[in-house]
Amino acid sequence: MGFADLKSPTGLQVLNDYLEDKSYIKGYVPSQTDVAVFEAVPGPLPADLCHALHWYNHIRSYEKEKASLPGVKKALGKYGPADWSYTDSKDDDDIELSGSDEEESEEAKKKPKKPALVSKSTILRDVKPWDDEADMAKLESVRSIQADGLVWDSSKLVPVGYGIKKLQIQCVVEDDKVGTDMLEEQITAFEDYVQSMDVAAFSKI
């Protein structure tokens, strides 16, 4: 069941097809599930596996933080097309497919219930420095902002002219927990490095 051999072309094609309409192996944020599958993939993927390649490069950007990602790594066979319909509504840590309804009900009583659907958004922000002499690495210090429901994603430097570059940084937020105004205030509070901030793109997940 699930992913079997991700070192073979056939196995990688299964992964690519699986990720056609998904950003992550499970759920809406990177987790130990993604780390487990990522570590089973044999290095960079060919360009024709575009969905798997996009996912691979995204998870690779979490190399330094992967140990702190949520969830628990399990056997590779626990993840993939065969078990998706069973695990959509379960927690990352509750993936057993066997057992009676009575046992599952007892287990459900012991576990805290989570909402079936959490409203989330992806936000791409442009963070601009004061001038062309700014230390762009210090703009990345906005990642130190932490909040329940906030996950920082990939970033890049984009030229804006006259030798000045801006930081484009993406994050995923839970709409009920993190307000865009609150986050903007915290980012612009880095006034020694940040001259201004704009929302470049905003989309619901």
Side-chain angles (χ1 to χ4, degrees):
M1 298 180 67
F3 298 122
D5 181 11
L6 291 180
K7 292 182 169 55
S8 69
T10 300
L12 290 175
Q13 186 61 55
V14 170
L15 175 64
N16 186 68
D17 294 344
Y18 178 76
L19 289 166
E20 183 176 358
D21 59 352
K22 301 175 182 66
S23 298
Y24 303 103
I25 301 300
K26 274 182 62 63
Y28 299 102
V29 295
S31 67
Q32 293 301 323
T33 300
D34 295 283
V35 174
V37 178
F38 176 85
E39 291 177 346
V41 172
L45 301 174
D48 59 326
L49 299 177
C50 57
H51 305 301
L53 179 60
H54 177 78
W55 166 84
Y56 181 89
N57 289 335
H58 181 56
I59 299 305
R60 185 171 58 180
S61 71
Y62 287 92
E63 182 66 28
K64 293 181 180 179
E65 304 110 37
K66 68 180 183 180
S68 62
L69 294 179
V72 178
K73 283 196 288 186
K74 297 196 175 187
L76 197 60
K78 291 286 187 181
Y79 312 123
D83 79 331
W84 183 256
S85 62
Y86 290 91
T87 60
D88 273 351
S89 61
K90 288 179 174 283
D91 298 336
D92 284 343
D93 298 336
D94 185 18
I95 312 182
E96 294 300 324
L97 304 182
S98 60
S100 68
D101 290 342
E102 185 177 330
E103 289 173 341
E104 290 178 358
S105 297
E106 190 63 32
E107 185 68 19
K109 291 178 183 177
K110 296 177 183 178
K111 285 182 173 287
K113 292 184 178 180
K114 294 184 179 180
L117 180 63
V118 177
S119 177
K120 297 184 180 182
S121 301
T122 297
I123 307 173
L124 182 65
R125 298 175 182 272
D126 287 342
V127 182
K128 299 174 183 177
W130 287 101
D131 51 40
D132 59 345
E133 297 180 356
D135 184 348
M136 300 305 291
K138 289 186 176 178
L139 282 186
E140 285 276 357
S141 62
V142 299
R143 288 183 180 273
S144 65
I145 299 171
Q146 296 183 352
D148 184 23
L150 168 66
V151 177
W152 291 106
D153 207 329
S154 57
S155 63
K156 63 180 179 179
L157 296 178
V158 179
V160 295
Y162 304 102
I164 300 176
K165 294 181 180 180
K166 63 183 178 182
L167 173 71
Q168 275 199 340
I169 186 166
Q170 186 166 287
C171 65
V172 176
V173 300
E174 292 186 25
D175 297 336
D176 292 339
K177 295 181 179 179
V178 181
T180 55
D181 292 342
M182 178 201 77
L183 197 51
E184 180 176 349
E185 288 177 4
Q186 293 192 41
I187 290 174
T188 54
F190 289 86
E191 55 188 17
D192 290 342
Y193 320 122
V194 178
Q195 187 264 338
S196 64
M197 190 226 72
D198 299 306
V199 174
F202 183 97
S203 60
K204 294 287 186 180
I205 297 178

